[in-house]
Amino acid sequence: MCTWHRLIPKEQMDLLTYCRNLPKVELHAHLTGSLSDDTVLQLLEAKEKELGSKNSLCSAKITISKGHQRSLDECFRVFELLHSLTDSLEAIRKITQNVIQEFAEDGVRYLELRTTPKNILGKMTKKEYVDTVLEAMINEMKTCRIMVRLLVSVDRGRGVEDAWSTLSLAKQYLDHDVFKGLLVGIDVSGNPNKGNLADYIPILKEAKKCGFKLAVHLAEVKSCVEETDAVLQNGLVDRIGHGTYLLDNNGYGINNQDMILKHHIPIEICLSSNVKTESVSSFEDHHFPVWHALKHPLAVSTDDKGVFSTTLSNEYYICAKTFNLSEKDIHELCLHAVEATFLPSSDKDILRQMVKDDLSKLM
Ligand code: 6MZ
């Protein structure tokens, strides 16, 4: 069962408590990257039982429980390790449940969870993977005060052929008897140092044609300049993940700023992730204030709350503290995130009203 933080009088709240009480919307959360230490320990124990040995996995414990800085490449090695612990449908069901409960306990009212469907010989097909995630989502929505939707992820590290197969699977859920309406879009993610995003443009065009909304990791690292330009020029992106090097002001960017502003393409802001992976040198040097000053739609997000030892409340706290945000600014951020969801307008209206009601109780 999930608990909900009881509202306490505002004057008695410190900033972090205040952020915990905000009705939050999480739009950039990778399932496997969101595993808490508790969940990882449960998975390790299950794996050790399965393998009948403790020795092979004790180093994994050390690696995962550290909350320090890691390069992006090191993070991707952690994901591989986590994937080796989540290679059964039982594990996928468990991690989906735990991650949803943890977001709900952190005061997240709407979660757009993203994950890469995996095909593991003899263990699961991509379809079984997605069905399991969706079933767990439906179950958790019955008991937790949270609305959850899914984005299926295309991992650029797995190649174009894998991406086409993920898209053709996603199409099966557009008009599904049981799961209709739960899969609301496609995410493109994966190691930005691998492959070329421009190779995925035909897939993104087809996905758009089918009616999927697209959230694309763009310009997460400096070397992504040309591919970012190509994807943006094709008008394919509904939401930008990271966007660290979109701006020209650091001498690396491509300055698509005008186009992004003109089309109001929301940017998912992942402060801890960007600083901990060393793509941004400090919170103060983050690109958030540049876009915020322009009143551009932004969605504060966790990216991988487990790997980066954070929560969405903590990300709001870091943002508010670093950039000296007012209460009005913070409330606007919550509401901007509602507008940036991939929900159809009727569901968005319901969510907006819920968020407004909860915000008014905080004033
Ligand atoms: C790009 C990332 C990411 O899909 O197994 N992922 N892709 N940049 C990041 N910044 C740190 N963090 C996570 O969740 C793990 C997968 O999400 C993507 C990677 O493809 C990673 O393997 P799932 O649930």
Side-chain angles (χ1 to χ4, degrees):
M1 268 301 273
C2 304
T3 53
W4 173 249
H5 294 277
R6 197 173 323 131
L7 293 176
I8 54 175
K10 197 176 86 186
E11 55 280 8
Q12 291 172 24
M13 283 186 209
D14 59 28
L15 183 57
L16 183 56
T17 312
Y18 184 77
C19 292
R20 287 199 184 113
N21 281 286
L22 290 167
K24 293 172 289 295
V25 166
E26 168 66 78
L27 298 185
H28 189 136
H30 298 274
L31 174 61
T32 313
S34 299
L35 307 188
S36 61
D37 285 351
D38 275 358
T39 300
V40 174
L41 282 177
Q42 287 170 27
L43 292 169
L44 278 164
E45 276 164 21
K47 200 49 147 184
E48 283 166 356
K49 256 188 216 153
E50 183 192 320
L51 297 178
S53 140
K54 289 207 163 216
N55 296 334
S56 56
L57 289 167
C58 57
S59 62
K61 272 184 194 166
I62 298 160
T63 316
I64 294 160
S65 56
K66 266 191 200 163
H68 303 299
Q69 290 195 322
R70 295 189 179 105
S71 71
L72 255 184
D73 283 331
E74 281 172 317
C75 285
F76 280 90
R77 283 199 289 278
V78 174
F79 293 133
E80 275 173 30
L81 199 62
L82 292 170
H83 288 150
S84 71
L85 298 177
T86 51
D87 61 354
S88 70
L89 290 173
E90 198 189 327
I92 299 304
R93 188 183 315 280
K94 184 77 196 148
I95 64 171
T96 309
Q97 281 171 357
N98 288 6
V99 165
I100 293 172
Q101 286 172 15
E102 288 154 5
F103 274 113
E105 280 167 15
D106 187 39
V108 172
R109 303 301 314 273
Y110 174 77
L111 165 65
E112 243 163 53
L113 195 58
R114 53 184 79 187
T115 193
T116 319
K118 283 131 196 137
N119 198 357
I120 306 177
L121 197 64
K123 296 203 167 184
M124 64 178 90
T125 62
K126 284 187 177 191
K127 182 170 184 314
E128 286 169 335
Y129 183 99
V130 174
D131 284 352
T132 303
V133 171
L134 291 169
E135 278 162 14
M137 275 169 47
I138 290 175
N139 275 336
E140 291 314 305
M141 280 192 280
K142 286 180 193 154
T143 50
C144 294
R145 193 174 179 227
I146 190 168
M147 201 195 282
V148 191
R149 296 293 183 268
L150 180 68
L151 305 183
V152 291
S153 299
V154 160
D155 176 354
R156 60 187 288 166
R158 292 175 187 244
V160 172
E161 207 177 305
D162 188 77
W164 278 116
S165 94
T166 297
L167 176 59
S168 84
L169 172 66
K171 287 183 196 172
Q172 297 176 28
Y173 293 89
L174 284 170
D175 218 7
H176 196 281
D177 287 351
V178 185
F179 301 129
K180 190 169 189 267
L182 291 179
L183 198 168
V184 292
I186 309 277
D187 154 58
V188 183
S189 50
N191 191 336
N193 298 313
K194 281 193 179 167
N196 184 343
L197 210 52
D199 296 341
Y200 292 78
I201 288 176
I203 302 168
L204 298 183
K205 284 186 173 166
E206 173 65 15
K208 271 279 225 230
K209 226 187 333 175
C210 299
F212 287 113
K213 296 278 193 182
L214 301 183
V216 184
H217 283 57
L218 283 183
E220 188 177 0
V221 294
K222 287 171 197 162
S223 56
C224 291
V225 171
E226 273 174 36
E227 59 170 35
T228 299
D229 215 3
V231 174
L232 280 172
Q233 296 307 327
N234 274 278
L236 293 164
V237 182
D238 296 294
R239 250 181 13 223
I240 295 171
H242 300 288
T244 315
Y245 291 94
L246 287 171
L247 296 168
D248 214 348
N249 57 357
N250 47 23
Y252 296 104
I254 35 179
N255 212 359
N256 278 297
Q257 194 176 9
D258 290 347
M259 193 235 266
I260 294 166
L261 288 171
K262 185 171 156 216
H263 294 285
H264 305 287
I265 308 172
I267 304 175
E268 300 153 356
I269 297 289
C270 307
L271 287 153
S272 290
S273 163
N274 295 154
V275 171
K276 289 195 173 184
T277 60
E278 297 161 352
S279 54
V280 172
S281 52
S282 68
F283 292 129
E284 289 74 16
D285 288 327
H286 199 270
H287 47 288
F288 170 87
V290 179
W291 296 98
H292 189 246
L294 295 163
K295 303 206 176 312
H296 189 72
L298 303 171
V300 175
S301 306
T302 54
D303 202 6
D304 300 290
K305 74 173 180 63
V307 173
F308 301 123
S309 309
T310 192
T311 60
L312 189 55
S313 298
N314 189 46
E315 294 303 300
Y316 270 83
Y317 169 78
I318 292 169
C319 196
K321 198 165 169 345
T322 311
F323 305 112
N324 203 15
L325 301 185
S326 67
E327 183 176 33
K328 182 168 170 276
D329 291 331
I330 298 172
H331 288 203
E332 273 172 10
L333 277 178
C334 294
L335 287 163
H336 278 170
V338 173
E339 301 314 318
T341 64
F342 289 165
L343 285 171
S345 61
S346 54
D347 287 346
K348 206 181 267 191
D349 291 345
I350 295 169
L351 178 65
R352 187 185 307 108
Q353 198 52 54
M354 282 197 307
V355 170
K356 278 188 176 169
D357 288 349
D358 282 351
L359 286 175
S360 71
K361 288 179 206 151
L362 279 175
M363 293 209 273

